[in-house]
Amino acid sequence: MTNEAKLKRVRPSDIVIMIIVGAAMLLCLIPFLHIIAMSLSSKQEIISERVTIFPRGWDFESYKIVFQDARMLRSMGLTIILTTVFTIVSMVMSICAAYPLTKTQLKGRSFFMMIIVFTMFFSGGLIPEYLLVKQLGMLDHMTSLILPGMISAFNLIILRSFFTSIPASLEESAYLDGSSHLSTLIRIVLPLSLPVLATLSLFYAVSRWNGFMDALFYISNSEMYPIQLKLYQVVMNSMVTDLTAQEGAAASEVVPEGLKAASIMFATLPILIVYPWLQRYFVSGVMVGAVKG
């Protein structure tokens, strides 16, 4: 088929969809470009409000301040370790919960699934959760940022649905060869589930990386702040100093907007770097897990 024939087959509705998708992508991209431009622009250009999506008066001083801040670097290192451990623990627990739920011989399987779905819509609330964490002695400890949210019911259902899509004949052949359930899971099921495993790992990693509310409630030691809580402090402190400056305090005490933008980029770029490595698994992992079951 020639290129002219392909162009003739393009429907007006397809063009409209492409325009809408392009506009939506642009609307999502503009704020991100604005933050990048703010972080790379000089203080004078930012104060004069001439910065849009392109840097003006290039200045890397904000990034120098961020990378020279030992507390910010410590929070970044702590968050990387926390996210890695959380993702591994969450995936292991999700696999251990999802795989048995695919077996028809499991008694009470429907009841267990009903309980899991129930937790997606109802919970005890913030205060009971805080009291539970306190009673377990997990305040000011990294376990308070791992154990309470280590399994997502939504991700568990997606993983179970993907396991269900694997042909049962493969597992039956393994059982005939003397393979146990654990051996079959490790040698057959998991290698065939790389798309969904990569996708859910990304979901868990992003949720933990972006989370700060649980750290705000459970962590009071500033040396244990994850990067998002540290960023929250930077933004809140800048708002306080802005109000102070308006009331006549020294302008040198005001945290520049460029420093806030650089801190945001510092906290965002590491998790963005992970996306290209998992992009090829993303669509297939979500779609197969969502259609089956």
Side-chain angles (χ1 to χ4, degrees):
M1 184 180 295
T2 62
N3 292 332
E4 294 182 358
K6 291 181 180 179
L7 292 175
K8 290 181 180 179
R9 293 188 60 183
V10 176
R11 297 172 296 180
S13 59
D14 295 335
I15 298 177
V16 173
I17 293 175
M18 292 174 62
I19 294 175
I20 294 175
V21 172
M25 292 177 61
L26 186 61
L27 289 175
C28 294
L29 191 60
I30 287 177
F32 184 70
L33 294 176
H34 178 66
I35 293 296
I36 296 177
M38 291 277 287
S39 67
L40 296 172
S41 299
S42 64
K43 184 176 180 180
Q44 292 75 15
E45 296 291 340
I46 295 173
I47 293 176
S48 61
E49 299 182 352
R50 290 197 293 264
V51 180
T52 54
I53 61 174
F54 300 104
R56 296 176 64 94
W58 288 76
D59 189 354
F60 296 93
E61 187 63 27
S62 298
Y63 284 101
K64 291 180 181 178
I65 295 175
V66 170
F67 280 98
Q68 290 175 355
D69 189 347
R71 295 171 299 178
M72 189 72 76
L73 295 177
R74 183 173 59 247
S75 295
M76 174 63 74
L78 177 65
T79 305
I80 292 174
I81 296 174
L82 175 63
T83 301
T84 303
V85 173
F86 177 82
T87 303
I88 294 174
V89 171
S90 296
M91 288 305 302
V92 170
M93 296 301 296
S94 297
I95 291 171
C96 292
Y99 184 66
L101 291 174
T102 63
K103 305 304 176 184
T104 56
Q105 61 267 31
L106 176 64
K107 296 182 179 180
R109 184 177 65 156
S110 300
F111 174 74
F112 295 141
M113 281 302 304
M114 182 185 68
I115 293 178
I116 293 172
V117 174
F118 182 84
T119 62
M120 296 178 62
F121 303 99
F122 303 97
S123 66
L126 179 60
I127 294 178
E129 183 176 342
Y130 176 84
L131 294 176
L132 176 61
V133 172
K134 182 179 179 180
Q135 290 294 325
L136 293 175
M138 295 192 300
L139 293 181
D140 279 334
H141 198 275
M142 286 296 102
T143 53
S144 64
L145 306 181
I146 297 176
L147 297 183
M150 64 180 175
I151 294 184
S152 167
F154 176 77
N155 294 344
L156 176 62
I157 293 173
I158 291 179
L159 186 59
R160 172 189 171 273
S161 300
F162 195 98
F163 286 163
T164 305
S165 68
I166 297 177
S169 57
L170 294 177
E171 297 185 50
E172 292 174 356
S173 300
Y175 296 145
L176 291 176
D177 292 335
S179 177
S180 63
H181 287 289
L182 180 61
S183 179
T184 302
L185 173 65
I186 295 175
R187 296 182 180 180
I188 296 179
V189 177
L190 294 185
L192 295 175
S193 306
L194 288 181
V196 72
L197 295 179
T199 301
L200 297 186
S201 296
L202 180 62
F203 284 171
Y204 278 122
V206 171
S207 66
R208 179 60 272 165
W209 186 275
N210 292 334
F212 81 98
M213 288 299 296
D214 51 354
L216 182 63
F217 297 142
Y218 305 145
I219 305 297
S220 58
N221 186 357
S222 60
E223 294 186 356
M224 300 177 63
Y225 284 174
I227 189 64
Q228 295 299 335
L229 183 55
K230 193 67 179 176
L231 179 60
Y232 171 79
Q233 273 195 332
V234 170
V235 175
M236 294 303 296
N237 290 340
S238 67
M239 293 175 61
V240 174
T241 51
D242 284 342
L243 293 175
T244 305
Q246 293 176 8
E247 294 176 358
S252 60
E253 297 179 356
V254 179
V255 177
E257 293 293 327
L259 181 58
K260 289 194 295 183
S263 300
I264 293 173
M265 294 305 304
F266 179 77
T268 305
L269 283 179
I271 199 67
L272 289 179
I273 295 174
V274 178
Y275 270 92
W277 299 94
L278 301 178
Q279 181 64 34
R280 58 175 178 166
Y281 297 113
F282 191 79
V283 176
S284 59
V286 173
M287 292 304 296
V288 174
V291 172
K292 292 293 292 183

